[in-house]
Amino acid sequence: MPYNIADPGRDLDDLIVRRAEVFRQKQGIDLRTGHLAEQIDPSSKVVIARNAEGNREEVAYDKLLIATGARPVVPDLPGFDLPGVMTLKELEDGRRIKAYIEDHHVRRVAIIGMGYIALEMCEALRARDLEVAMVKPRPRFLPWMNESLAAMVKEEVEENKVTMYPGHEIKAIESDGKGLRAVCEDLELEADMVLVAVGVKPCSELAENAGLELGIKRSISVDRSLRTSNEHIYSAGDCADSYHVVTGRKTWIPLALRANRGGWAVADNVTGKRVELDGVAGTAVFKVFDLQVARTGLNSDEARAYGFEPAEVVIQARTRAHAHPGSSTIGVYMVGDTKSGRLLGVQMVGKEGVAHRVDAPAVALHAGMAVDEFSQTDLAYTPPFGPTWDPMLIAANQLLKKM
């Protein structure tokens, strides 16, 4: 949606992958839009809902999939319900944002938060030549990222004329009838619109009220076949937890591939094909203006918390062979376990060659490879796309010196 919002002439409905009529007419699915699921009764295997007219309905099931997703976190503070204070999660949110920008001639936007969506949206809004200021309570920008790589991202954002205010606790949002004001103890940001992008939380209330076990961050606890604590109920998507391939323990990392893969796995399991999922490595990539930012696996703090004894290294390399024009810098952070020798995680930042390069260490994490094994992998070389020694291999070789 941020990329659609960046283009005022593009219809947000372009993002719809499959319309309701296709499910009903082509696939014969009894799809009931405009219905609110209010309760699950596992003892009688019934979902109790309200239809568009407000009438009560009961829908019986043999097997049930809960795929209620996640919702944006909105602080319980004064003014967060004012007109012009937006979140971005559903298509309707995107429609409201695009319409509000046009209808209210928005020129200044304050973004509360500095995570993935906040950063993608700051780029989208700057593409529309809007003034953007970002604020967050914690003083460290991208706290999960190595500080030297995070500094590269921060510099890129600021070079694109986005003002950043980390370390400022939001107390309220106020309106004077003409505009909005994000109020901190020592700072006030004037804005025509405020975007709240401080994260999401799983929509697990239906499951909890039905007596199902919850897991990490109140996500719905599932086994590797996506089955909940009730043998007839499954859960998939951003509302459900998963296993981390590095730690082997439960985690909650709401990302698109896992959500899609989980849905497919449940479909197989309820129709008789036994499927189990290994889990996730937390592989993610996002674009911030001209930078690509990627991660997979653990950072050193996370590794230490899970009982590993991490060693880490940060290197800078070129994105192309030294004599090839157009080369730029790529920063790589790599973590390994000094006890077992395992590769634990990788982060990368650069203007090119990041988005798909992170897939190599992601596969290595799924395979449980050691750093020395990864250092011997036969990665591709050609001058326009990388040096003879790929930045991944340079980082692995340097990390081995610390293990």
Side-chain angles (χ1 to χ4, degrees):
M1 283 189 287
Y3 307 108
N4 182 288
I5 291 169
D7 183 355
R10 187 178 168 197
D11 193 326
L12 208 78
D13 284 354
D14 290 350
L15 300 179
I16 297 174
V17 177
R18 190 179 300 177
R19 297 184 180 275
E21 293 76 14
V22 176
F23 285 90
R24 297 182 182 119
Q25 297 170 10
K26 184 177 179 181
Q27 271 123 8
I29 295 171
D30 180 6
L31 174 61
R32 305 185 188 185
T33 53
H35 286 60
L36 176 65
E38 295 183 327
Q39 182 184 346
I40 299 166
D41 183 353
S43 61
S44 57
K45 297 172 75 172
V46 163
V47 176
I48 300 166
R50 296 281 173 186
N51 63 23
E53 289 75 39
N55 298 320
R56 186 176 186 270
E57 292 185 358
E58 291 189 1
V59 183
Y61 65 84
D62 297 312
K63 302 293 182 183
L64 175 67
L65 165 61
I66 303 174
T68 44
R71 68 169 65 90
V73 174
V74 178
D76 184 16
L77 293 170
F80 276 76
D81 57 349
L82 286 169
V85 180
M86 308 287 190
T87 58
L88 182 63
K89 185 67 172 68
E90 301 176 359
L91 280 174
E92 191 55 39
D93 297 331
R95 292 189 184 98
R96 278 196 296 266
I97 289 172
K98 292 189 85 164
Y100 197 89
I101 290 172
E102 294 296 329
D103 296 345
H104 292 81
H105 307 290
V106 170
R107 289 292 171 262
R108 298 171 302 175
V109 180
I111 300 177
I112 300 174
M114 297 184 187
Y116 295 167
I117 296 299
L119 289 168
E120 289 179 346
M121 278 300 294
C122 85
E123 178 183 350
L125 296 169
R126 288 297 299 132
R128 298 186 63 157
D129 202 28
L130 304 183
E131 295 179 23
V132 179
M134 307 180 77
V135 61
K136 62 173 281 189
R138 288 196 286 181
R140 187 173 167 187
F141 175 65
L142 295 179
W144 53 267
M145 177 168 266
N146 170 266
E147 289 193 37
S148 63
L149 298 192
M152 294 171 64
V153 182
K154 188 171 186 287
E155 181 181 2
E156 177 73 10
V157 174
E158 291 176 334
E159 283 183 353
N160 282 275
K161 300 181 180 179
V162 175
T163 310
M164 306 181 76
Y165 298 98
H168 294 270
E169 189 86 31
I170 298 290
K171 299 298 181 183
I173 299 173
E174 298 176 351
S175 173
D176 59 7
K178 297 179 181 178
L180 298 168
R181 185 167 52 250
V183 180
C184 308
E185 282 189 356
D186 55 349
L187 176 72
E188 291 188 359
L189 297 179
E190 303 284 345
D192 304 310
M193 186 179 84
V194 175
L195 177 70
V196 182
V198 295
V200 297
K201 58 184 178 181
C203 297
S204 57
E205 293 84 0
L206 268 177
E208 181 180 21
N209 292 337
L212 302 182
E213 181 181 328
L214 301 188
I216 302 292
K217 296 183 179 179
R218 302 189 64 77
S219 58
I220 302 170
S221 179
V222 296
D223 63 15
R224 294 187 184 275
S225 65
L226 286 299
R227 194 192 309 266
T228 69
S229 53
N230 182 296
E231 64 175 328
H232 302 295
I233 303 177
Y234 294 79
S235 185
D238 290 355
C239 58
D241 67 9
S242 57
Y243 289 87
H244 200 291
V245 296
V246 177
T247 68
R249 300 189 200 177
K250 285 293 192 76
T251 189
W252 183 64
I253 304 176
L255 293 171
L257 178 58
R258 168 68 185 196
N260 277 263
R261 180 173 282 148
W264 279 93
V266 172
D268 282 336
N269 281 315
V270 300
T271 54
K273 179 182 177 182
R274 178 72 175 171
V275 172
E276 293 189 348
L277 300 183
D278 289 340
V280 298
T283 309
V285 61
F286 60 99
K287 178 179 176 290
V288 186
F289 297 100
D290 288 335
L291 280 186
Q292 301 170 18
V293 183
R295 69 174 298 186
T296 189
L298 309 178
N299 61 33
S300 60
D301 290 339
E302 293 165 337
R304 202 170 289 110
Y306 281 108
F308 295 104
E309 294 181 7
E312 61 185 4
V313 70
V314 181
I315 64 105
Q316 288 195 347
R318 305 303 293 171
T319 58
R320 307 182 189 186
H322 78 279
H324 198 85
S327 181
S328 61
T329 300
I330 185 169
V332 180
Y333 166 81
M334 187 173 287
V335 184
D337 180 31
T338 57
K339 286 190 298 184
S340 65
R342 280 182 65 189
L343 179 67
L344 299 179
V346 170
Q347 299 172 2
M348 279 184 284
V349 175
K351 293 194 172 183
E352 63 176 7
V354 168
H356 295 295
R357 188 173 259 119
V358 75
D359 290 338
V363 170
L365 294 179
H366 278 270
M369 290 179 70
V371 176
D372 61 351
E373 292 174 325
F374 184 65
S375 74
Q376 293 296 317
T377 53
D378 186 20
L379 303 185
Y381 160 68
T382 189
F385 300 117
T388 305
W389 285 91
D390 187 90
M392 294 288 92
L393 301 180
I394 295 172
N397 288 331
Q398 292 300 314
L399 182 57
L400 284 172
K401 298 176 181 179
K402 297 187 175 185
M403 297 179 66

